[in-house]
Amino acid sequence: LEEIYQDAVSLVVLEYGVKLPDQCPYSLEELLP
């Protein structure tokens, strides 16, 4: 999850220039139903 999050943050920062948390604020269990 952490690697996927970091990839997504990199793309969002490049595309939109927004600041996101360095680490995913949710656990995998919280994200999956």
Side-chain angles (χ1 to χ4, degrees):
L1 175 63
E2 196 59 40
E3 184 177 338
I4 294 168
Y5 181 79
Q6 292 302 321
D7 289 345
V9 166
S10 296
L11 292 172
V12 170
V13 168
L14 284 174
E15 187 71 27
Y16 300 104
V18 296
K19 176 69 175 138
L20 297 173
D22 292 331
Q23 294 184 337
C24 185
Y26 305 103
S27 69
L28 186 56
E29 291 78 23
E30 291 175 310
L31 295 173
L32 298 177

